Amino acid sequence: MTRTLYLNGAWLPESEAKVSVFDRGFLMADGIYEVTCVLDGKLVDYAGHAARLQRSAQELGLSLPLTEAELLAVHREIVARNALDQGMIYLQLTRGVAERDFVYPPAGTLPTLVMFTQAKNVLENAAAEAGIRVALLPDLRWGRRDIKTVQLLYPCMAKMEARARGADDAWLVEDGFVTEASAATSHIVTAEGVLVTRDLSHALLPGVTRASVLELAAAHGVRVEERAFTPDEARAAREAFITSATNFVVPVVAIDGATVGDGKPAALTRDLRRFYIETRRASAI
């Protein structure tokens, strides 16, 4: 089935949706994006994703052309138009069309807003059952990773390098500490059962699923520490996992070839995935 996309206020078949070659998102990576999961035709953790979108826009001086109510309505409409039961909604906002220049275009330049869907069975995830292997790579991204920008080349390069090393994904390392995965938040569980994840800063994205999982862990009596951790700590961990809107909670069973725990998805990770799906499915809008 041909998808229906949203582009600057119009609903178009994907074959007819066109963006100018002079769009600053294409020429300068001058744009942001957001991803919201859809489960049972409803939006998962929507408030967190909408808030992060607004924050990213403010940090770059971008203006959303929709009000909060309109943005929610468009999300719901794109689900309905594409009969999406499970999958993702991708939104991209750029500074619009202008002559190529490092200087921002004049005030009043219309932004470009695109939304499209991807159908995906988010509940049946082979990686969640078997776990993934990660390779440690240097974090060479720009310094404002807290902004969800469209400049994703290095994460793509890191994931490809990880694949070349026989791993499924990369955990990025800067100044001796893990920042995050190529497109997800990194977590470990220590031998004492403490859930450790990097504290928020410009070094990493404020993951919406991260926040939900930390809240669920604390509610179930798990001690949580938000701090930097080293690759050695990660290798010695009892459990490790990643969180993201597209995959929820996925176990990490090996880091740079070193087995994590017994090399199988462990109890707390599996519980957190189950808690997340149950609670967010119930609260989806």
Side-chain angles (χ1 to χ4, degrees):
M1 184 179 71
T2 299
R3 288 174 291 184
T4 298
L5 280 61
Y6 177 90
L7 174 59
N8 295 333
W11 294 101
L12 300 167
E14 61 180 279
S15 60
E16 298 178 18
K18 311 292 183 184
V19 176
S20 170
V21 296
F22 294 107
D23 191 277
R24 286 183 61 87
F26 174 66
L27 293 178
M28 316 294 281
D30 188 359
I32 57 174
Y33 77 105
E34 192 55 64
V35 188
T36 302
C37 179
V38 174
L39 187 54
D40 304 322
K42 297 182 178 180
L43 308 171
V44 176
D45 267 344
Y46 176 77
H49 290 288
R52 185 171 63 182
L53 174 66
Q54 292 284 359
R55 180 187 180 277
S56 291
Q58 290 170 3
E59 291 296 307
L60 293 183
L62 293 169
S63 296
L64 274 167
L66 302 176
T67 66
E68 290 184 15
E70 290 169 340
L71 185 65
L72 174 57
V74 171
H75 274 79
R76 285 174 164 163
E77 181 70 12
I78 201 169
V79 170
R81 285 177 179 264
N82 290 280
L84 186 64
D85 181 61
Q86 290 188 46
M88 319 305 299
I89 300 172
Y90 285 84
L91 178 155
Q92 295 203 174
L93 175 71
T94 80
R95 209 174 299 274
V97 178
E99 190 64 37
R100 189 185 187 281
D101 196 337
F102 283 88
V103 176
Y104 290 171
T109 301
L110 296 178
T112 299
L113 178 60
V114 180
M115 292 174 63
F116 63 91
T117 59
Q118 283 187 347
K120 174 185 177 181
N121 189 333
V122 295
L123 295 178
E124 295 182 11
N125 187 333
E129 294 300 318
I132 62 170
R133 300 158 295 168
V134 301
L136 298 174
L137 295 172
D139 195 338
L140 302 179
R141 298 171 298 167
W142 80 315
R144 291 302 306 276
R145 304 156 201 159
D146 57 307
I147 306 171
K148 198 170 179 69
T149 73
V150 297
Q151 48 178 295
L152 297 172
L153 181 56
Y154 187 72
C156 293
M157 294 171 65
K159 190 176 285 286
M160 294 305 294
E161 177 61 23
R163 295 286 179 89
R165 297 185 184 192
D168 303 295
D169 199 0
W171 275 18
L172 305 176
V173 180
E174 182 179 57
D175 298 329
F177 295 97
V178 175
T179 51
E180 54 190 339
S182 66
T185 305
S186 303
H187 310 259
I188 61 172
V189 180
T190 69
E192 296 74 29
V194 180
L195 171 54
V196 181
T197 193
R198 183 77 178 247
D199 51 319
L200 296 180
S201 68
H202 288 174
L204 70 160
L205 186 73
V208 174
T209 309
R210 168 195 183 276
S212 293
V213 167
L214 294 186
E215 174 188 310
L216 288 167
H220 284 81
V222 178
R223 180 180 163 192
V224 175
E225 291 184 3
E226 295 185 59
R227 62 168 177 83
F229 60 89
T230 66
D232 285 343
E233 285 183 277
R235 294 186 191 97
R238 189 169 78 188
E239 301 183 38
F241 61 93
I242 60 170
T243 56
S244 70
T246 54
N247 291 296
F248 304 154
V249 180
V250 173
V252 172
V253 296
I255 299 173
D256 258 2
T259 300
V260 176
D262 63 1
K264 300 177 182 178
L268 180 56
T269 301
R270 297 176 75 93
D271 284 345
L272 289 173
R273 178 177 175 82
R274 176 169 55 84
F275 296 155
Y276 181 84
I277 292 172
E278 289 174 353
T279 58
R280 271 46 194 177
R281 193 174 203 173
S283 63
I285 62 174

